[in-house]
Amino acid sequence: MSAVPTPAASPWLEATVDEVQRHGPRALSLFLNSPLPPHQAGQHVDIRLVAEDGYEARRSYSIASAPGAARLELLIERLDNGEVSPYFHEVTVAGDVLELRGPIGGHFVWRASQPGPLLLVAGGSGIAPLMAMLRHRAATRAPVDTLLLYSARTWDELVYRDELAMMAAQDTRLHFTAVTTREPARRPGDFSQRLDRAALAAALQRWGRQPQDVYVCGATGFVETVAAALVDLGVPASSIRTERYGGLS
């Protein structure tokens, strides 16, 4: 197995923005023609922006595209008080050149050889690395029983919801449950509440499987709540991998 590049070891390289695709009111995907080495599902990259006066800002963004995809996809949620995300939402267009390095990360990685069952829990833009895992699972036709629980405030803020629904419709081993916290559920079996212990217990009971690999990604409070509830429900802490983001973007 080759070593996973770290930020210190990875050089900054230039990547061209091929497409900007908007998702609902607060998120977009940047599709990049990237010179980076191949990534694994769950890894991220660093982006560096340098202003004319020399001021520099760096942010990490998870990769949403599957390993081996022709373009690198990054999902960027706009934060109203953010320093960097408004730039991508208001300024960036196809043809722009960005500096990035990576791929980075080895702990929050899923491989198709892992037998599962696999539980994926996403909050907001935390869907990005889990989407890479699901796309990798589909591309490799990995026969892994999988449940995705994806929470957002509204139906329109569930990025990739149509692709996820199609994946689940075509694969009886994949179950996708949407969780909306500020509006009623749109589909039978979805939740319209916060993803607390009770909701997790109901989802796991309905799924009927004991997860062996668990990946949770989202805002810090969301991740801590979900991880603690899963342990309380009997999921071994050693099976749970978490990745969280703050409010600096």
Side-chain angles (χ1 to χ4, degrees):
M1 182 182 299
S2 60
V4 176
T6 64
S10 301
W12 290 103
L13 299 174
E14 291 187 344
T16 303
V17 177
D18 184 63
E19 180 185 357
V20 179
Q21 183 181 103
R22 299 193 177 274
H23 307 287
R26 302 186 64 84
L28 61 75
S29 286
L30 290 184
F31 290 91
L32 305 174
N33 294 316
S34 168
L36 297 182
H39 69 278
Q40 299 180 70
Q43 290 186 302
H44 63 275
V45 298
D46 284 347
I47 290 184
R48 177 171 67 179
L49 300 178
V50 181
E52 292 182 0
D53 61 3
Y55 177 75
E56 183 176 303
R58 302 182 185 185
R59 294 291 183 272
S60 296
Y61 293 103
S62 293
I63 301 169
S65 45
R71 302 183 298 177
L72 193 74
E73 180 183 355
L74 306 179
L75 179 65
I76 299 176
E77 180 181 11
R78 176 175 182 139
L79 298 182
D80 293 334
N81 297 321
E83 181 182 49
V84 174
S85 63
Y87 173 83
F88 292 118
H89 279 257
E90 298 172 7
V91 179
T92 304
V93 295
D96 286 352
V97 175
L98 301 174
E99 286 188 296
L100 67 162
R101 64 182 178 187
I104 300 164
H107 173 71
F108 199 78
V109 165
W110 180 78
R111 299 172 179 85
S113 59
Q114 294 173 225
L118 172 66
L119 172 62
L120 305 175
V121 187
S125 60
I127 189 63
L130 308 188
M131 199 66 196
M133 296 174 190
L134 289 168
R135 287 167 167 167
H136 184 46
R137 177 186 175 279
T140 59
R141 299 184 178 180
V144 179
D145 289 322
T146 303
L147 171 62
L148 169 67
L149 302 174
Y150 179 16
S151 176
R153 292 179 296 186
T154 67
W155 180 255
D156 286 342
E157 292 180 74
L158 289 165
V159 182
Y160 308 121
R161 66 177 187 271
D162 293 340
E163 182 179 350
L164 291 167
M166 183 176 296
M167 280 184 176
Q170 296 174 346
D171 184 347
T172 58
R173 287 192 160 189
L174 173 61
H175 300 269
F176 162 43
T177 298
V179 182
T180 50
T181 60
R182 297 189 182 180
E183 66 178 31
R186 296 284 187 95
R187 308 179 307 169
D190 287 343
F191 293 104
S192 55
Q193 63 179 90
R194 293 195 177 277
L195 198 53
D196 56 12
R197 184 188 185 281
L200 288 164
L204 290 175
Q205 182 179 27
R206 185 170 62 194
W207 188 33
R209 291 163 178 79
Q210 178 69 16
Q212 299 301 308
D213 296 304
V214 182
Y215 295 81
V216 185
C217 186
T220 298
F222 173 88
V223 170
E224 291 177 349
T225 296
V226 169
L230 288 173
V231 171
D232 192 47
L233 290 168
V235 178
S238 59
S239 300
I240 303 172
R241 304 185 190 194
T242 63
E243 187 166 272
R244 61 200 73 195
Y245 55 80
L248 297 176
S249 292

